[in-house]
Amino acid sequence: MDEMTEVRGLRAGAPLPDRARLAPGRARLAEAARAGERRRTLWRQREFVITGVVAAVAAVAVTASLLAGAGAGAGRKVRPAAQPALRLEGMSAAAFLRSAADVVDTEPDDAVPTAEQWIYTRRAQELVRASGPGSTDPRGREQETWLRYDGTATADRQYDSEGRPQKLSVTPLHLENGGAGDERSPRELYRVLAALPAGGERTLKVLREKNAVADGEGESRTSSDYAEIAVLLSADVMPSKGLASLYRALATLPGGRLTGHLVRTATGRRVVALSYARGLDPRNGKPMREEWLIDPRTYRITGTRTVEDGRIIAGISVVAKAVVREAGDRG
């Protein structure tokens, strides 16, 4: 899959991007808007998938949990966090992330998917940029996609203007071992996550040593660290302790902003919004921020949005996610 590099990905009439066109697991629309920015080479170092960890994972059958814990048809029934009601007002981004890490670190995981299983995802578009005569607001428009755990195929189902489902389209892929350039399969990403150490600083050290995301010219250490973490946060299948490690690592970085109240997604869900600076909009020079949408009960990521001047200009929310037997299944 190739990273989108044109602003066309943000236009109102565009269909939702599927997994075969986006960088791993996330709607990288913020990156798409940064026209002219250097092209990042993701997962370019094959040694990032540590062979010793692969064997260990297979031996002990480490289990995985899906990033999205809520929504109709979700394959994983995450139990709400057993803690007092979340109070966001006055809380720092770092404090929230540390608290979230402590919660998810103790969660049991589901069984690791087999190579032949598929990751089903239903997403809703968050784009609300459109305005003016003849324009349409696609906010809430949904799309269903499937991706094989071993990265050998992807599938999606489109809908006509009246909402009737069309024929399922299946596309062969070869994501593993660098077969598709800068993309990796859910299985490869899972193995990386399972190998992360528990502490935030130790996790950053591992990510810096592997340098899976190529650093841009003149890019700050903080920006480089964030890029490494953000790619892994987008994984389709996430071991609980791996997510906790990423949260603790992210908590060490400056620049995070936590909205002091829950926000609503395109599907009406109330979520936590945590954002980080992501450069300037090439069309108008205004600063953009990448906003992570996090379930306030399970602390699982449910989507991302790009925000400019307090206005959502792009994004994707996960409505449902599940591990299924074949493309077309919904769990």
Side-chain angles (χ1 to χ4, degrees):
M1 296 192 298
D2 294 327
E3 179 179 343
M4 298 177 68
T5 57
E6 301 294 337
V7 178
R8 66 176 183 275
L10 301 180
R11 72 183 189 276
L16 284 176
D18 61 29
R19 185 64 167 74
R21 296 182 178 88
L22 292 176
R26 63 186 282 246
R28 303 188 63 200
L29 296 178
E31 299 298 331
R34 298 167 68 181
E37 185 185 21
R38 91 270 186 246
R39 183 177 185 275
R40 286 174 170 166
T41 303
L42 309 179
W43 315 112
R44 58 184 173 80
Q45 300 186 27
R46 292 180 57 180
E47 66 269 24
F48 198 70
V49 180
I50 306 169
T51 55
V53 173
V54 173
V57 169
V60 300
V62 178
T63 54
S65 60
L66 295 176
L67 265 176
R76 183 177 189 275
K77 297 181 179 178
V78 179
R79 292 174 297 181
Q83 63 173 38
L86 182 62
R87 296 181 179 178
L88 299 175
E89 187 175 1
M91 180 181 286
S92 69
F96 169 78
L97 287 165
R98 288 192 294 266
S99 176
D102 290 343
V103 172
V104 299
D105 199 13
T106 63
E107 290 182 354
D109 293 323
D110 288 338
V112 179
T114 64
E116 296 80 14
Q117 287 182 303
W118 297 69
I119 311 300
Y120 163 69
T121 309
R122 189 164 87 245
R123 301 178 179 89
Q125 192 163 342
E126 291 282 336
L127 176 63
V128 293
R129 178 194 297 277
S131 62
S135 64
T136 59
D137 182 353
R139 181 174 166 86
R141 183 185 300 163
E142 295 186 3
Q143 183 186 48
E144 295 178 309
T145 60
W146 290 260
L147 177 67
R148 260 185 60 134
Y149 185 60
D150 64 1
T152 59
T154 185
D156 71 320
R157 190 189 301 280
Q158 301 291 341
Y159 292 80
D160 63 19
S161 59
E162 297 182 2
R164 292 173 298 201
Q166 304 299 295
K167 182 180 179 180
L168 185 71
S169 174
V170 179
T171 304
L173 295 175
H174 179 59
L175 300 183
E176 296 200 336
N177 300 315
D182 61 4
E183 179 59 21
R184 288 297 182 266
S185 71
R187 179 167 63 181
E188 285 179 313
L189 295 182
Y190 172 76
R191 289 167 175 170
V192 172
L193 288 160
L196 293 178
E201 291 292 350
R202 291 176 60 199
T203 294
L204 280 181
K205 183 175 184 294
V206 169
L207 297 180
R208 288 167 180 168
E209 288 174 351
K210 301 307 176 182
N211 193 29
V213 178
D215 297 336
E217 183 177 354
E219 186 174 43
S220 68
R221 169 58 64 87
T222 296
S223 181
S224 297
D225 288 342
Y226 176 81
E228 302 280 352
I229 295 170
V231 170
L232 286 170
L233 280 175
S234 306
D236 289 293
V237 182
M238 179 83 70
S240 295
K241 291 187 179 301
L243 178 57
S245 295
L246 293 180
Y247 280 166
R248 291 184 180 119
L250 192 56
T252 69
L253 304 184
R257 293 182 188 173
L258 184 71
T259 302
H261 55 82
L262 298 180
V263 303
R264 288 193 181 276
T265 69
T267 58
R269 292 180 63 185
R270 292 170 59 82
V271 298
V272 177
L274 176 68
S275 70
Y276 291 84
R278 299 307 293 149
L280 303 178
D281 189 326
R283 296 160 304 175
N284 53 33
K286 293 182 179 180
M288 300 183 299
R289 296 188 67 84
E290 183 171 46
E291 192 173 71
W292 295 90
L293 307 177
I294 303 173
D295 190 300
R297 299 170 304 163
T298 66
Y299 294 104
R300 298 276 162 169
I301 295 171
T302 65
T304 60
R305 302 195 297 205
T306 302
V307 180
E308 183 180 287
D309 284 342
R311 189 167 61 100
I312 302 165
I313 62 173
I316 296 292
S317 287
V318 176
V319 179
K321 188 183 285 284
V323 176
V324 298
R325 294 181 59 183
E326 60 184 9
D329 287 350
R330 295 183 175 86

